[in-house]
Amino acid sequence: MSYTHKKYQQRKKLTKLRSQMRKKVITAELDAAEKLKLVNDKMLAMAHATKDALNKKDEVLSVIYEDCKDIDLKMRENEHAFGVKLEELKKKMTDRLLKAEQDANSALEDATRQLEIMQQEKDTTLSDQEITIKKLQKNVPEKYREKIIGEVLVPHKLNRSSSCKI
């Protein structure tokens, strides 16, 4: 083999290697470009998913915030309504207690009046009985007076509640 032929074979081999290398580089570049596109697509999809998740989170937070405001407002309304109801109940109870006190005072006054009337009637009756006894004493003959007065009339004066029949 001659030097030229060797050179030719080497050039041919070199050309073949260069061609293979170009194919491999082009294939590698195409694979890298395809992988890069896939990575970029995944990153875009993740960016969209993240954006959607953030939007959903914002919507949920907005709904929660509105619900909290509604709950807070409802709680304040309920507290106010309960306060009003409590004041009404306090007023009713106060009115009932005042009426009960007035009724009790009225009943006590009535009972006191009735007791006074009964005491006056008793005093009047006893006074009338004493007057009757004195009249009867005057009508009893002298000789029987001491015996009757000692047995019947005197015990009556000491014990006003006993009845005396002459």
Side-chain angles (χ1 to χ4, degrees):
M1 284 208 196
S2 75
Y3 176 71
T4 22
H5 184 46
K6 265 188 178 179
K7 232 180 176 179
Y8 173 72
Q9 285 287 339
Q10 284 178 346
R11 278 192 190 152
K12 190 175 172 184
K13 200 175 184 182
L14 187 61
T15 308
K16 189 176 177 185
L17 280 174
R18 280 188 185 153
S19 171
Q20 285 176 349
M21 285 299 284
R22 264 193 226 122
K23 279 184 186 178
K24 285 185 180 181
V25 167
I26 290 171
T27 303
E29 285 177 349
L30 288 174
D31 285 346
E34 187 176 323
K35 286 180 182 177
L36 184 63
K37 185 178 184 300
L38 287 173
V39 167
N40 283 337
D41 289 345
K42 281 185 181 180
M43 286 178 62
L44 281 173
M46 287 175 62
H48 287 298
T50 302
K51 185 178 176 184
D52 289 344
L54 288 174
N55 287 339
K56 260 188 179 175
K57 179 195 84 162
D58 290 342
E59 288 174 11
V60 168
L61 286 176
S62 176
V63 167
I64 289 172
Y65 178 75
E66 289 300 318
D67 287 349
C68 285
K69 280 180 22 183
D70 291 343
I71 289 169
D72 187 50
L73 178 66
K74 188 68 175 171
M75 284 176 59
R76 277 190 262 134
E77 288 172 352
N78 285 344
E79 285 174 2
H80 177 72
F82 290 141
V84 168
K85 185 74 172 177
L86 181 62
E87 289 302 317
E88 288 174 2
L89 289 173
K90 282 181 183 177
K91 185 174 180 340
K92 282 182 182 178
M93 289 304 294
T94 302
D95 292 345
R96 286 181 182 171
L97 287 172
L98 286 174
K99 176 140 178 35
E101 183 180 9
Q102 289 170 350
D103 291 347
N105 286 337
S106 178
L108 181 61
E109 288 172 4
D110 288 344
T112 303
R113 267 189 248 110
Q114 288 177 354
L115 184 61
E116 287 172 356
I117 290 169
M118 288 172 63
Q119 185 65 40
Q120 287 174 355
E121 288 174 355
K122 180 181 173 186
D123 289 345
T124 303
T125 303
L126 287 176
S127 176
D128 289 346
Q129 286 175 354
E130 286 176 357
I131 291 170
T132 306
I133 290 171
K134 283 181 184 178
K135 285 181 184 178
L136 288 174
Q137 283 176 343
K138 288 180 184 176
N139 292 337
V140 173
E142 187 76 28
K143 63 179 186 173
Y144 298 114
R145 199 176 282 176
E146 248 183 70
K147 189 175 182 184
I148 293 174
I149 291 174
E151 292 177 5
V152 177
L153 296 179
V154 173
H156 174 71
K157 284 186 180 179
L158 295 175
N159 187 0
R160 291 182 156 212
S161 65
S162 67
S163 62
C164 175
K165 294 183 181 175
I166 299 179

